[in-house]
Amino acid sequence: MLFSIIKNRIEQGYRTSKYPNEEIKLPERFKGKPEINSNCEQKIAELCASNCPQDAIDPKEKTIHLGKCVFCGLCEELSNGSFIKFSNDFELAVTDPEQLIYDGMIEKLEIHAKKHFKKLFGRSLQLRQVSAGGCNACEADLNVLNTPFFDLSRFGIQFVASPRHADGIIVTGPVTRNMKKALLKTYEAIPDPKIVIASGSCAISGGPFRGNPEQLNGVDGILKVDLYIPGCPPHPLTTLHALLTFFK
Amino acid sequence: MDNKLLKINNGQKIKLADIPHFSFDEFYEEILSLALNDYYIVHYFAYEDKGKIRLVAVLRRKNWLFVGISDTPEKYPALTCKCTKFHMFEREIAEQFAIKPVGHPWLKSVRYHANYLGKEDIFGNDYSEDIPGRYEYYSVEGEEIHEVAVGPVHAGIIEPGHFRFNCAGEKVLHLEIQLGYQHRGIEKQILNANKKQLPVIIESIAGDTAVANSLCFSEAVEALANIQVGMEAKKIRGLALELERIANHIGDLGALSGDIAFLPPASYYGRIRGEFLNMLLAICGNRFGKGLIRPGGIRFSITDKQKEEFVNRIKKLKSEIVHIGDMLFNQAGVLGRFESTGIVGTEIAQQLGLVGPAARASGILYDARYDLPAGVYQEIPLKVVTEHTGDVMARALVRYNEALQSLDIVETLLTELENNNSYKHTEFELEPDNFVVTVHEGWRGELSHCIITDSKGDILRYKIKDPSFHNWMGLAIAMRNEDISDFPLCNKSFNLSYCGFDL
């Protein structure tokens, strides 16, 4: 039996990525940070805006709301890339909700990372995750950070069971009415100073459920959010980049 | 056994007027006698049409679906008293449309929301109050008895739900599972949504089942909008559904191993799960296959280069999966924990109407891909994987063997792929006054969507049923007389959906 464990160990080898010391290139079709052509014909921008399932596009200003966008790529398909084209750059997180309204430029997250957060949490960051109406895709791709490839704990970042042990919460889902109380109680149980991270389109804006009366259109309405991580769900690397840049 | 319902195919469009319409008494007798024999319930729900509430039952037996519609009284003697299969369905109807199943053994709200009609609440809940409202929990009394309450927020990165254990010492006498925390009101939202939003909402019912859900949705829309889909698109749809299945089965085998602290398979399978999600990512840009399937076809083709690469990757992964599986299933410590833990016997599984791997592990021979094949599954020869012991071991083995079978299916589909998929974004118009039900075998089991259109071709009722709707009760039963410390193991062997159930 031991023999089989050793054989498998040799076959599996060492799988942990060297990120962030070495870059990772995601597949061509991955939809990351969009490129916007602000000189695109108005008609095409309007076509994209009217077909956008999330109403994330403003055709006049030629912007796309990264917190509402689910990165389905329909606008790229309809404009044939002439208006919006999704690059495979996964660095999407922002700290200021204004910055979610994206016109082709995102200020580097480093600029907004607060020194005192780095000082407080840079060496050890313990997060409590709360799923508040998520479809389990965000949750699954947060869990993945604990697999050998990403191995989040090598950076001193861990997901913990008790809010009492946590430095902050990472929320997924649009915050359903039925989870509001539990979310607030979890938040209250975390000792100060604490941070709030909204992960995924739902937690940022309500996502596909925006406007639906059974939910609250995201975390913003009830808690002050420090970090927004767009995506549907955010790619694990988007989250990893956000956590490392903001806290390390 | 003959029956009075209309016999239909999976994904067949039916005029509402062609569905037999019964008086409630006749309907009651009919569906009860069928469900007491070897018919299973796919759907049982209410809808409102021009101010009248009607009940719809969709049953299945072997290769057929059967449908009937009935008038609705405000209350009626609960079917659940005579046939357990109706248990959750009747609670759901009571919650959504305030129709009372009198004498229902455990009539409490399913998801905690006000009913659709603004009528007086059956359960006496005040919905301006936050959950958990005014419902009782099943309780056991006695000197040594204690209760353990867990959730809604759990220890890990998991969805919310409340679990109430009644224990005598370490032993669980009964587990009650109260969900609803993820309730987003999807079925109701769909009625008010713009058509362009629908695919995205559907993909967010349950992210880990995004492919199966969008497949059920797309096939239902295609039937009602008379859209034909080419064979290449069907193949890629099947391929995506199998990748979804493999990723989840393999991931859960790793998690099961982690739950008993046997870490090598947990790490290896955890990583390998990602390989399959990454294949979906390479195809459509999303690790969960969101954005791939739309009414009319699939939005992305698989290039020749990808095809070759995937075939090679799958060959390599398959041998790794088998090597790890040999290590897992031959370890005495693993067998000691997996075997005879969380048993659900065949008879109970039948009574509860369990579906998917959980049912097959208890010896029930039903797989929607085999029994009600749609799309590419009409062309794929499939052997239904079963076990008979109904314990954690059986559920693990079913999932392991299904994953291996799915790997073969993916390989075959890839080699047969011809690459002439054409898709153009199109709008669809649904035929008025029609009905369709679609069924697919998601990785958790039978997933089904049902659409009823009104006289203008708008959606009058959209009903979604996740396999978890049948199976949560199976987990509760599996925990009876088990040690409470075996809950994580039993839970993971089912790995049911909270959001898919809560809608």
Side-chain angles (χ1 to χ4, degrees):
Chain A
M1 206 51 240
L2 186 66
F3 184 59
S4 148
I5 294 176
I6 294 169
K7 238 172 69 184
N8 270 290
R9 180 71 193 83
I10 293 167
E11 184 177 44
Q12 291 299 316
Y14 182 78
R15 299 285 186 163
T16 306
S17 90
K18 298 229 166 32
Y19 183 85
N21 296 331
E22 271 176 28
E23 273 184 37
I24 297 181
K25 195 158 161 38
L26 288 175
E28 200 186 320
R29 291 181 190 172
F30 168 72
K31 290 185 256 346
K33 193 181 285 176
E35 288 159 7
I36 296 180
N37 172 17
S38 50
N39 299 322
C40 140
E41 258 180 78
Q42 192 62 23
K43 217 173 68 193
I44 292 175
E46 270 160 24
L47 174 80
C48 293
S50 66
N51 278 289
C52 173
Q54 291 294 100
D55 291 322
I57 299 169
D58 182 338
K60 274 203 200 97
E61 301 290 328
K62 301 228 167 57
T63 59
I64 177 164
H65 194 295
L66 294 181
K68 291 182 187 165
C69 178
V70 290
F71 298 80
C72 71
L74 184 60
C75 49
E76 177 174 332
E77 186 183 309
L78 291 175
S79 71
N80 214 353
S82 71
F83 175 37
I84 291 172
K85 212 172 161 177
F86 288 88
S87 73
N88 51 12
D89 177 359
F90 53 78
E91 299 179 3
L92 287 164
V94 300
T95 54
D96 180 358
E98 296 278 304
Q99 278 208 302
L100 290 167
I101 304 162
Y102 174 80
D103 59 3
M105 277 290 292
I106 272 187
E107 282 184 53
K108 287 254 179 216
L109 184 62
E110 289 95 300
I111 305 170
H112 293 271
K114 294 191 182 100
K115 266 210 187 98
H116 79 273
F117 279 161
K118 292 198 178 203
K119 206 175 148 205
L120 280 170
F121 306 126
R123 286 158 66 93
S124 157
L125 176 69
Q126 314 291 314
L127 293 170
R128 175 61 250 201
Q129 199 275 332
V130 180
S131 166
C135 76
N136 206 19
C138 282
E139 290 83 345
D141 262 357
L142 283 174
N143 253 327
V144 152
L145 292 173
N146 291 321
T147 58
F149 182 81
F150 299 99
D151 192 15
L152 186 66
S153 47
R154 74 196 149 115
F155 301 106
I157 305 174
Q158 264 142 356
F159 293 105
V160 291
S162 168
R164 301 274 188 219
H165 303 159
D167 302 309
I169 44 172
I170 180 159
V171 185
T172 53
V175 188
T176 51
R177 284 190 49 203
N178 289 350
M179 263 308 280
K180 182 183 161 197
K181 195 171 172 183
L183 171 63
L184 289 176
K185 277 193 163 179
T186 309
Y187 176 75
E188 281 158 18
I190 299 170
D192 280 318
K194 49 193 166 190
I195 44 125
V196 177
I197 304 168
S199 172
S201 168
C202 286
I204 300 175
S205 70
F209 308 108
R210 195 175 170 75
N212 172 341
E214 297 287 340
Q215 53 80 53
L216 307 176
N217 291 340
V219 193
D220 250 347
I222 52 168
L223 293 172
K224 158 98 183 62
V225 177
D226 299 294
L227 185 59
Y228 300 85
I229 309 177
C232 186
H235 191 278
L237 282 170
T238 307
T239 310
L240 188 57
H241 165 261
L243 295 178
L244 294 183
T245 319
F246 196 63
F247 294 105
K248 297 306 277 185
Chain B
M1 182 178 169
D2 274 343
N3 73 68
K4 297 175 190 162
L5 307 180
L6 180 70
K7 189 164 149 184
I8 58 170
N9 276 313
N10 182 8
Q12 184 187 353
K13 176 184 73 179
I14 304 286
K15 282 198 187 80
L16 261 184
D18 291 346
I19 300 175
H21 194 123
F22 301 93
S23 70
F24 182 75
D25 290 343
E26 198 181 356
F27 181 72
Y28 181 95
E29 289 302 325
E30 184 67 15
I31 60 172
L32 180 62
S33 70
L34 295 176
L36 283 173
N37 284 293
D38 52 355
Y39 286 71
Y40 286 87
I41 304 163
V42 179
H43 286 287
Y44 178 47
F45 63 88
Y47 72 101
E48 187 182 6
D49 188 11
K50 298 182 197 95
K52 285 211 173 105
I53 311 298
R54 304 195 190 287
L55 284 166
V56 179
V58 180
L59 307 183
R60 71 170 159 83
R61 185 172 177 271
K62 290 185 178 156
N63 307 101
W64 294 97
L65 295 165
F66 302 88
V67 58
I69 296 181
S70 148
D71 295 327
T72 316
E74 274 186 12
K75 54 184 180 181
Y76 68 91
L79 289 156
T80 308
C81 299
K82 294 177 179 146
C83 178
T84 325
K85 290 171 190 168
F86 290 98
H87 163 76
M88 204 52 100
F89 290 100
E90 287 197 312
R91 278 170 60 179
E92 186 188 45
I93 291 170
E95 183 164 52
Q96 293 182 335
F97 286 89
I99 299 160
K100 189 170 187 176
V102 179
H104 189 289
W106 202 231
L107 188 60
K108 64 186 274 188
S109 64
V110 180
R111 309 182 173 108
Y112 194 70
H113 63 81
N115 65 58
Y116 293 173
L117 306 171
K119 283 193 180 171
E120 195 189 337
D121 192 59
I122 293 261
F123 318 101
N125 286 327
D126 172 6
Y127 294 98
S128 62
E129 280 172 30
D130 283 330
I131 206 164
R134 235 178 277 167
Y135 40 72
E136 285 174 53
Y137 281 94
Y138 199 84
S139 67
V140 181
E141 280 170 9
E143 212 166 302
E144 300 284 311
I145 301 293
H146 65 104
E147 280 190 2
V148 181
V150 186
V153 179
H154 299 282
I157 306 176
I158 332 172
E159 298 178 81
H162 184 82
F163 295 79
R164 188 74 64 98
F165 299 87
N166 285 291
C167 304
E170 292 286 297
K171 199 198 257 182
V172 177
L173 297 173
H174 181 69
L175 159 65
E176 184 169 354
I177 302 165
Q178 181 60 43
L179 302 176
Y181 297 89
Q182 300 277 65
H183 179 64
R184 292 143 288 166
I186 293 178
E187 287 179 359
K188 216 174 152 188
Q189 187 187 353
I190 285 174
L191 305 185
N192 303 319
N194 206 314
K195 266 186 211 155
K196 67 176 184 177
Q197 296 174 288
L198 292 181
V200 175
I201 298 173
I202 295 294
E203 284 171 340
S204 301
I205 294 169
D208 53 26
T209 314
V211 173
N213 270 304
S214 55
L215 198 47
C216 279
F217 161 75
S218 299
E219 284 182 0
V221 166
E222 283 152 9
L224 291 177
N226 305 309
I227 300 171
Q228 299 299 322
V229 174
M231 200 53 203
E232 288 309 287
K234 284 182 183 168
K235 281 183 194 162
I236 296 179
R237 285 174 168 191
L239 193 128
L241 188 61
E242 295 310 319
L243 286 176
E244 184 173 85
R245 187 182 327 278
I246 301 167
N248 283 296
H249 280 358
I250 293 297
D252 281 346
L253 286 171
L256 277 171
S257 189
D259 274 342
I260 54 165
F262 185 40
L263 297 182
S267 299
Y268 306 153
Y269 276 155
R271 197 249 328 153
I272 290 172
R273 165 182 176 273
E275 298 270 352
F276 296 100
L277 297 181
N278 286 341
M279 282 183 212
L280 283 171
L281 177 74
I283 298 171
C284 72
N286 185 294
R287 281 162 52 89
F288 296 85
K290 289 185 176 187
L292 174 63
I293 299 168
R294 288 291 179 269
I298 45 133
R299 286 176 58 212
F300 301 89
S301 318
I302 295 178
T303 64
D304 285 338
K305 201 177 142 216
Q306 280 178 325
K307 218 157 74 178
E308 202 188 310
E309 198 199 317
F310 289 169
V311 170
N312 291 335
R313 256 157 87 182
I314 280 175
K315 281 211 172 87
K316 188 160 177 299
L317 287 168
K318 193 175 172 186
S319 86
E320 288 182 25
I321 289 169
V322 170
H323 294 159
I324 301 164
D326 287 344
M327 167 172 68
L328 179 68
F329 292 113
N330 287 313
Q331 181 85 306
V334 173
L335 301 184
R337 289 296 305 281
F338 282 12
E339 284 180 344
S340 305
T341 305
I343 296 174
V344 180
T346 310
E347 205 178 314
I348 290 181
Q350 280 168 345
Q351 279 171 19
L352 295 174
L354 298 192
V355 294
R360 292 192 283 278
S362 296
I364 294 179
L365 202 75
Y366 168 59
D367 185 320
R369 293 176 294 173
Y370 178 82
D371 292 278
L372 298 163
V376 75
Y377 295 103
Q378 289 170 340
E379 320 271 316
I380 298 177
L382 191 87
K383 193 177 171 300
V384 179
V385 176
T386 51
E387 289 288 327
H388 62 277
T389 47
D391 51 5
V392 171
M393 185 66 178
R395 287 187 283 277
L397 278 176
V398 165
R399 299 181 72 177
Y400 177 70
N401 288 322
E402 276 184 23
L404 293 182
Q405 189 181 49
S406 295
L407 282 164
D408 292 339
I409 297 176
V410 169
E411 230 184 302
T412 316
L413 285 173
L414 278 170
T415 43
E416 285 174 359
L417 218 54
E418 272 161 21
N419 240 336
N420 49 6
N421 170 58
S422 61
Y423 170 80
K424 213 173 150 281
H425 179 71
T426 41
E427 313 222 328
F428 52 84
E429 293 296 328
L430 304 180
E431 215 162 288
D433 292 320
N434 265 270
F435 169 97
V436 69
V437 56
T438 51
V439 178
H440 268 282
E441 186 76 14
W443 63 275
R444 285 192 185 93
E446 176 196 273
L447 178 79
S448 181
H449 288 207
C450 179
I451 305 181
I452 301 175
T453 54
D454 67 9
S455 54
K456 283 183 254 146
D458 289 332
I459 297 173
L460 184 65
R461 180 75 162 112
Y462 198 107
K463 188 80 200 83
I464 301 152
K465 190 213 60 193
D466 192 273
S468 310
F469 198 73
H470 296 281
N471 284 5
W472 275 110
M473 199 57 192
L475 171 60
I477 296 300
M479 275 311 291
R480 285 199 174 170
N481 293 319
E482 282 299 333
D483 284 353
I484 191 166
S485 51
D486 274 335
F487 175 69
L489 189 60
C490 291
N491 185 31
K492 192 49 91 178
S493 72
F494 282 86
N495 195 12
L496 302 173
S497 179
Y498 300 70
C499 53
F501 176 95
D502 285 346
L503 298 173

